[in-house]
Amino acid sequence: QVQLLESGGGSVQAGGSLRLSCVASRYSYSSSCMGWFRRAPGKEREGVATIDSDGITSYADSVKGRFAISQSNGKNTLYLQMNSLKPEDTAMYYCAAGPYGGNWCRSRIYRYLELWGQGTLVTVSS
């Protein structure tokens, strides 16, 4: 079974940057949609960014212009470059993958993603 393994989380001051990575345990794995979600304490899970098999991306309004999602050429590694981090970005970040592309992927609704990583913690201090 394919597993998703996140890395790159940590503690950073406001205004700083982090790059999250997510590697699929099976090199040849690819999906129609991959994305990053986050859950802050006391809040619901939020779809941060997704990318479909055509390379079309979708971002939450709260991160537009600051975060960028991308994939490696082989599409087995997913990245999230996070710049100008804010304390409100503090959360556990999860990598996810699913079989539905197009509008389903762009909706960033977590129910359309079926494979999830264990998460990596991002803490932004003011």
Side-chain angles (χ1 to χ4, degrees), residues 22-64:
C22 170
V23 179
S25 59
R26 192 174 74 204
Y27 180 78
S28 60
Y29 177 79
S30 63
S31 63
S32 296
C33 182
M34 294 193 74
W36 291 96
F37 292 73
R38 67 186 180 187
R39 175 169 278 171
K43 294 187 177 181
E44 294 188 354
R45 184 169 15 185
E46 177 186 20
V48 176
T50 56
I51 184 168
D52 69 14
S53 56
D54 293 324
I56 297 174
T57 58
S58 174
Y59 295 93
D61 288 343
S62 59
V63 306
K64 281 181 181 176

Side-chain angles (χ1 to χ4, degrees), residues 36-97:
W36 291 96
F37 292 73
R38 67 186 180 187
R39 175 169 278 171
K43 294 187 177 181
E44 294 188 354
R45 184 169 15 185
E46 177 186 20
V48 176
T50 56
I51 184 168
D52 69 14
S53 56
D54 293 324
I56 297 174
T57 58
S58 174
Y59 295 93
D61 288 343
S62 59
V63 306
K64 281 181 181 176
R66 299 188 299 122
F67 290 12
I69 189 171
S70 62
Q71 288 179 300
S72 61
N73 286 339
K75 296 188 177 181
N76 73 314
T77 303
L78 184 71
Y79 303 102
L80 184 69
Q81 179 66 44
M82 304 186 295
N83 299 326
S84 302
L85 282 161
K86 303 175 181 180
E88 51 263 43
D89 294 319
T90 295
M92 185 71 78
Y93 283 72
Y94 299 91
C95 173

